[in-house]
Amino acid sequence: MARARIDDAAGAAAVQEAVVALAEGGSAPRTVTATAVRWLLQVLADGEPGATVEVRVPPFGAVQFREGLSHTRGTPPNVVETDPSTFIRLATGALSWDEAVAGALVSASGSRADLRGYVPVRLPPA
């Protein structure tokens, strides 16, 4: 069964609300944050199909993306994990990959677990 997809308009609206809340020093409601994270993960995976790298944003979601060697069971060899606020900031360009790594805001393991060139996420046209 195919995973349910988030409509681009709903996803973009959730991202915008989350970005504004983060810029004001707060956070969006949980449902808005969940939608924003899941949609940004969906867009990331759509833009670079594959299963070489897994991006995890607990508790809201995870995707595999990027062509190359893939895995079928167990923990993948290349994993990036971060919290929802950091992921939204990375995916929208409010935080660079290098800043996130230097600030220990992401956990990245594996030789290909580097999101440089993938964040900010290339959003679909409005």
Side-chain angles (χ1 to χ4, degrees):
M1 177 182 249
R3 181 177 266 184
R5 294 188 55 82
I6 296 170
D7 174 74
D8 286 342
V15 169
Q16 183 60 35
E17 187 175 339
V19 165
V20 168
L22 289 170
E24 293 174 349
S27 61
R30 181 178 172 86
T31 56
V32 171
T33 300
T35 299
V37 167
R38 290 176 182 142
W39 184 69
L40 289 167
L41 287 170
Q42 173 182 297
V43 171
L44 176 66
D46 287 350
E48 189 71 30
T52 299
V53 179
E54 184 167 291
V55 178
R56 299 174 181 169
V57 186
F60 299 124
V63 295
Q64 294 177 0
F65 82 109
R66 200 169 171 190
E67 286 187 13
L69 299 174
S70 61
H71 67 284
T72 56
R73 295 186 309 170
T75 300
N78 300 289
V79 176
V80 174
E81 187 169 325
T82 190
D83 64 275
S85 296
T86 299
F87 181 70
I88 291 169
R89 292 173 55 220
L90 279 169
T92 59
L95 178 69
S96 75
W97 176 253
D98 292 332
E99 291 169 326
V101 170
L105 300 173
V106 297
S107 168
S109 63
S111 61
R112 299 189 77 188
D114 185 331
L115 297 185
R116 263 186 227 102
Y118 300 102
V119 292
V121 173
R122 291 172 200 91
L123 300 176

